[in-house]
Amino acid sequence: MALTKQQQRDRRHRRVRAKVIGTEERPRLSVYKSNTQLMAQIIDDNAGKTLIAVSSKTEKGATPRERAEKAAATLAKKAGEKGVKRVVFDRGGFQYLGTIKAFADAARAAGLDF
């Protein structure tokens, strides 16, 4: 029986989350992508707290990729203000290409280390 796209993403996400854990010194950068926007959070899994959250919905840009890149810059700036430099990247079961890759590259360029 063939799996739906959602089932495939859920399976990939469970596989990623089995290995990726955010700590106080290196929190998890979790990304979720919908059809219209990209949301990202920096999470300390040990404390169970979201430290920083951004959405591409509030960013200006012509394409989803441009909005994701601006959201990454905003996230990196907020993270720097809170003293977060190193994170582990949780792609949320999404393939590492397109908007997800653009977000990750922009976050690295803005100063986050992962």
Side-chain angles (χ1 to χ4, degrees), residues 1-8 11:
M1 183 166 101
L3 297 176
T4 65
K5 284 174 116 177
Q6 180 64 42
Q7 289 170 329
Q8 291 171 350
R11 183 177 281 184

Side-chain angles (χ1 to χ4, degrees), residues 90-112:
D90 173 10
R91 60 191 171 91
F94 297 99
Q95 294 182 3
Y96 188 79
L97 48 83
T99 308
I100 300 291
K101 185 176 187 307
F103 177 86
D105 291 343
R108 283 189 189 101
L112 281 178

Side-chain angles (χ1 to χ4, degrees), residues 1-64:
M1 183 166 101
L3 297 176
T4 65
K5 284 174 116 177
Q6 180 64 42
Q7 289 170 329
Q8 291 171 350
R9 188 187 80 80
D10 286 342
R11 183 177 281 184
R12 282 191 306 267
H13 193 197
R14 282 194 305 269
R15 195 166 53 234
V16 169
R17 283 293 289 126
K19 301 170 189 169
V20 177
I21 298 166
T23 62
E24 186 176 345
E25 51 277 350
R26 196 161 179 192
R28 175 170 56 99
L29 170 54
S30 176
V31 177
Y32 175 76
K33 182 183 74 149
S34 73
N35 286 339
T36 57
Q37 63 183 318
L38 182 133
M39 292 155 277
Q41 300 177 344
I42 294 182
I43 304 165
D44 177 1
D45 288 320
N46 289 342
K49 293 198 176 198
T50 297
L51 307 174
I52 303 157
V54 296
S55 170
S56 66
K57 191 173 188 175
T58 60
E59 304 294 336
K60 301 287 185 208
T63 65

